Amino acid sequence: MPFGAPCNICEPPSKEYAQLRRYNADGSGMEVIATGIRNTQGFDWNPVTKELWFSDHGRDWMATTRPKTS
């Protein structure tokens, strides 16, 4: 389950972001599989090596400031 970064290019405010995690079907047994990822787009297991492969969206070159809302 991906937990993306809350910003474009930054150090996430806590270690709970920018991770790919594995859980049991009942939500227990959380295990961090990968860290430092912004936004995974898809992932799968290599059928031969059983390694986890995923693509990462990465930064989008957009500003990190948010527009003001009224």
Side-chain angles (χ1 to χ4, degrees):
M1 174 175 285
F3 284 79
C7 47
N8 191 25
I9 303 171
C10 69
E11 288 292 324
S14 68
K15 293 183 180 188
E16 66 190 27
Y17 293 103
Q19 297 179 349
L20 186 62
R21 301 175 186 176
R22 176 173 37 202
Y23 289 88
N24 295 324
D26 65 2
S28 67
M30 188 275 287
E31 179 183 359
V32 176
I33 303 299
T35 61
I37 53 179
R38 180 176 177 266
N39 185 12
T40 56
Q41 296 296 300
F43 47 93
D44 203 354
W45 298 98
N46 180 308
V48 176
T49 66
K50 309 299 184 204
E51 293 174 307
L52 176 66
W53 289 6
F54 66 92
S55 60
D56 184 59
H57 184 58
R59 60 185 172 189
D60 59 15
W61 296 99
M62 301 202 47
T64 57
T65 58
R66 295 183 181 172
K68 293 182 181 180
T69 59
S70 42

